[in-house]
Amino acid sequence: MANLDPVTAIKVSTNAAQHFVESYYPMLNNRRDVMASFYVSQATMDGNKQHLSISFNGNQISDAAAMQAMFEAQMPQSHYEVQCHDCHVVNPNYIADGAQAWPLESGKNMTILVSVSGYVKYGDAKEGKMRGFSETFLLVPNPTAAVSKQRTKNVQEWLIQTQNFRIVV
């Protein structure tokens, strides 16, 4: 098996992380009703070696639907402001069981670790207390996007498989 070109890996992972951050945090601020679409689906994971892991301030969340429900029903309005993010390729040759692989030269058969830090206000944007946050994601290629071979507004190219969020005290 050929190896992924390092320049391609850096370019694809950097673009994926940038797009993810620019999509995910505005969604938290304004479109929580589509939050579950950012995560690996249970149907994708059934019978697979994948495991969805979500930790929010030390609390394990069972799945994407539960995370979305928590944000919609229990969390006040949020105002996230990302200060910086970084990414690293974890596995350059990742293909989920039963998924169609992208061509190797595309660089889209990998897992990407994305680290994000910034500030968040819960409640009123002007009156709320600004708190620091740190968040880490493991992104995997979306098998639905690999089948369609095209990005649409409704299909995320990269999905969250692992997430760990912490408020910085």
Side-chain angles (χ1 to χ4, degrees), residues 12-161:
V12 171
S13 62
T14 301
N15 289 340
Q18 183 75 30
H19 179 74
F20 173 77
V21 167
E22 290 175 353
S23 300
Y24 186 76
Y25 291 98
M27 175 276 302
L28 288 178
N29 292 339
N30 303 308
R31 289 290 320 269
R32 294 177 176 182
D33 60 313
V34 298
M35 184 177 205
S37 69
F38 282 80
Y39 293 82
V40 173
S41 71
Q42 190 63 42
T44 302
M45 292 183 303
D46 287 342
N48 204 320
K49 296 178 199 136
Q50 291 182 340
H51 172 72
L52 178 62
S53 175
I54 305 170
S55 176
F56 189 84
N57 263 349
N59 299 302
Q60 285 301 119
I61 310 297
S62 61
D63 59 23
M67 183 72 160
Q68 180 174 318
M70 180 185 79
F71 265 79
E72 290 181 318
Q74 300 172 16
M75 299 291 290
Q77 179 63 39
S78 58
H79 309 278
Y80 284 86
E81 183 181 316
V82 172
Q83 295 296 306
C84 65
H85 70 277
D86 194 11
C87 66
H88 302 277
V89 174
V90 176
N91 179 352
N93 297 308
Y94 173 86
I95 302 170
D97 291 345
Q100 180 178 342
W102 289 89
L104 178 66
E105 63 276 4
S106 74
K108 295 182 181 177
N109 296 321
M110 65 174 120
T111 58
I112 305 167
L113 181 72
V114 180
S115 300
V116 182
S117 61
Y119 297 100
V120 61
K121 286 184 183 182
Y122 293 112
D124 185 88
K126 294 180 182 172
E127 302 296 323
K129 180 181 177 185
M130 186 176 283
R131 310 274 310 266
F133 77 90
S134 175
E135 193 157 25
T136 305
F137 301 91
L138 182 66
L139 303 180
V140 298
N142 182 349
T144 304
V147 170
S148 68
K149 300 287 191 218
Q150 59 185 335
R151 179 184 292 171
T152 68
K153 288 192 176 245
N154 298 329
V155 177
Q156 300 297 326
E157 199 167 357
W158 300 91
L159 299 174
I160 301 166
Q161 182 176 337

